[in-house]
């Protein structure tokens, strides 16, 4: 796990350093930030510092603990995460974490338990964690990561010291991504990725720009010519949750244009497509389809066994119904 401090985390890190220096860091830190903003790397610096044998406010990078941390073999660092992307964090993983919390540190210092996707814990898992957070063992720190606190059990949130790093302004993110990639970055790439710098960078690197364009174009073609249902369905299914999110942004953009607003349009580099869709579709239809899409997104992320192809094509067909 790479410990790295990105420029937009400076402020929060300085706060933590101050608390570490005064030995006042809360036993459970909850860090909430969008996907692709580098919160894991920030959590890693904190974990490495807590575990370091020499440094108090930053890891020395030299001691046995720091070396073990860098090699991903630290016996007192436990990283709990869902088995795969999109899955929930299981109760078994949380129970294992609870057990580590009560064991004495192998290196005679602290233990750190990092919980990734704390917003994707089922109720049983959240309740299991809650018990430990309520009566925290000494020499143990919890770091919880989430994309949003809204979907977390409020009792868990209330037991944590909450941190929400502010992402930099669009122009700063744009410059940062461009500096990393040595190429110019369309503004809508940042907006599609909610301004999260690493997500925007990955979007370009992994070819999502092309996938996104193909999906939007196919969708626009389907709406205007009422044909190509299978190809657009296929593109959405392949892009999974992300594809549904792109469409959700697109629906919102269409509504904004229909209402005469051009503020914070996500697809700002595809304005012609958005405008064409805005004039081709009745506003009431777009509104109801946006709501249906949000319901569909929630269902598909909750129940993995659903036939996504069927449900998505059914949603698409509604555009052609009068
Ligand atoms: Zn060290």
């Amino acid at each position: 796990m790479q410990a790295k401090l990105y420029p937009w985390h400076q402020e929060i890190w300085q706060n933590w350093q101050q608390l570490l220096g005064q030995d006042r860091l809360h036993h459970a830190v909850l860090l909430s930030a969008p996907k692709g903003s580098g919160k894991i790397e920030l959590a890693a610096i904190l974990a490495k510092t807590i575990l370091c044998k020499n440094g108090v406010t930053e890891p020395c990078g030299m001691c046995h603990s720091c070396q073990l941390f860098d090699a991903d073999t630290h016996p007192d660092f436990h990283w709990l995460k869902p088995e795969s992307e999109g899955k929930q964090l299981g109760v078994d993983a949380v129970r294992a974490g609870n057990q580590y919390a009560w064991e004495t540190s192998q290196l005679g210092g602290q233990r750190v338990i990092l919980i990734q996707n704390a917003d994707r814990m089922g109720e049983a898992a959240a309740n299991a964690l809650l018990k430990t957070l309520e009566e925290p063992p000494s020499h143990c720190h919890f770091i919880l990561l989430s994309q949003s606190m809204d979907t977390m059990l409020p009792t868990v949130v209330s037991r944590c010291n909450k941190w929400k790093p502010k992402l930099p302004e669009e122009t700063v993110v744009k410059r940062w991504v461009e500096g990393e990639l040595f190429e110019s970055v369309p503004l809508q790439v940042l907006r599609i990725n909610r301004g999260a710098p690493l997500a925007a960078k990955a979007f370009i690197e992994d070819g999502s720009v092309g996938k996104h364009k193909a999906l939007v174009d196919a969708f626009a073609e389907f709406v205007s010519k009422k044909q190509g249902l299978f190809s657009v369905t296929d593109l959405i299914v392949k892009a999974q949750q992300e594809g549904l999110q792109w469409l959700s942004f697109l629906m919102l953009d269409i509504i904004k244009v229909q209402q005469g607003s051009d503020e914070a349009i996500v697809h700002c580099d595809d304005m012609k497509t958005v405008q064409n869709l805005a004039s081709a579709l009745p506003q009431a239809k777009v509104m109801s389809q946006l709501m249906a899409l949000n319901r569909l997104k929630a269902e598909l992320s909750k129940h993995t066994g659903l036939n996504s192809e069927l449900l998505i094509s059914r949603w698409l067909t509604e555009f052609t119904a009068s």
Side-chain angles (χ1 to χ4, degrees):
M1 168 176 266
Q2 201 195 7
K4 190 171 175 181
L5 185 63
Y6 291 107
W8 53 92
H9 286 150
Q10 278 291 353
E11 200 183 318
I12 217 165
W13 176 236
Q14 280 166 6
N15 278 309
W16 287 353
Q17 284 185 307
Q18 205 170 18
L19 292 168
L20 286 163
Q22 298 164 343
D23 197 21
R24 280 177 46 226
L25 186 77
H26 197 274
H27 71 275
V29 166
L30 168 59
L31 179 60
S32 184
K35 191 178 171 182
S37 58
K39 58 183 176 297
I40 296 181
E41 290 87 338
L42 176 62
I45 309 180
L46 180 60
K48 195 174 169 183
T49 307
I50 293 170
L51 295 167
C52 175
K53 291 289 176 188
N54 297 323
V56 175
T57 58
E58 58 190 325
C60 73
M62 315 285 283
C63 71
H64 187 44
S65 174
C66 283
Q67 283 169 2
L68 288 171
F69 191 90
D70 289 339
D72 289 326
T73 52
H74 203 297
D76 295 326
F77 177 65
H78 307 282
W79 184 5
L80 312 182
K81 54 184 168 183
E83 275 171 38
S84 62
E85 180 77 23
K87 273 206 166 166
Q88 279 200 335
L89 183 66
V91 65
D92 292 341
V94 173
R95 284 198 186 122
N98 282 345
Q99 204 169 341
Y100 294 132
W102 287 102
E103 286 170 7
T104 42
S105 141
Q106 294 203 26
L107 260 63
Q110 303 275 332
R111 274 189 182 272
V112 177
I113 296 166
L114 174 68
I115 303 181
Q116 202 178 321
N117 304 109
D119 47 351
R120 265 199 264 125
M121 267 190 287
E123 208 168 312
N127 281 321
L129 176 66
L130 188 60
K131 282 198 191 120
T132 311
L133 293 182
E134 277 169 348
E135 294 171 42
S138 56
H139 306 299
C140 180
H141 279 275
F142 281 90
I143 306 173
L144 281 72
L145 303 181
S146 77
Q147 283 181 45
S148 153
M149 293 183 202
D150 302 342
T151 50
M152 291 178 67
L153 206 63
T155 40
V156 169
V157 176
S158 71
R159 294 279 162 194
C160 298
N161 185 215
K162 298 168 270 294
W163 297 88
K164 234 177 168 174
K166 226 171 74 195
L167 283 174
E169 302 254 333
E170 248 174 12
T171 46
V172 178
V173 179
K174 189 164 153 43
R175 257 204 315 274
W176 183 84
V177 182
E178 287 175 343
E180 289 282 309
L181 297 175
F182 302 105
E183 63 178 74
S184 104
V185 172
L187 189 57
Q188 74 177 23
V189 167
L190 308 183
R191 295 188 175 172
I192 290 166
N193 291 288
R194 296 186 166 84
L198 300 173
K201 180 174 173 247
F203 192 84
I204 293 174
E205 286 175 323
D206 69 14
S208 291
V209 173
K211 272 185 240 169
H212 168 267
K213 188 180 176 352
L215 194 154
V216 169
D217 288 351
F219 174 76
E221 171 109 352
F222 169 71
V223 168
S224 70
K225 297 191 182 145
K226 315 238 183 291
Q227 49 182 291
L229 175 66
F230 292 109
S231 56
V232 63
T233 304
D234 190 46
L235 287 168
I236 302 170
V237 171
K238 279 191 183 130
Q240 298 176 327
Q241 278 287 328
E242 232 180 332
L244 297 174
Q245 185 53 52
W246 297 340
L247 285 168
S248 175
F249 284 142
L250 186 61
M251 296 293 109
L252 264 174
D253 288 344
I254 296 168
I255 294 169
K256 278 184 192 162
V257 168
Q258 286 174 334
Q259 294 180 342
S261 160
D262 60 359
E263 210 181 304
I265 297 260
V266 172
H267 291 86
C268 55
D269 298 303
D270 275 330
M271 276 315 275
K272 204 168 172 351
T273 309
V274 178
Q275 277 156 352
N276 287 343
L277 286 164
S279 36
L281 292 164
Q283 202 181 115
K285 171 71 87 186
V286 187
M287 294 253 196
S288 67
Q289 282 293 78
L290 174 61
M291 282 193 279
L293 178 61
N294 288 338
R295 280 195 299 272
L296 180 60
K297 252 167 54 189
E299 268 173 48
L300 288 175
S301 72
K302 231 183 200 171
H303 312 286
T304 42
L306 294 174
N307 185 339
S308 55
E309 207 171 331
L310 179 72
L311 294 170
I312 290 167
S313 67
R314 216 181 263 166
W315 176 76
L316 284 165
T317 313
E318 276 301 310
F319 282 101
T320 56
S322 49

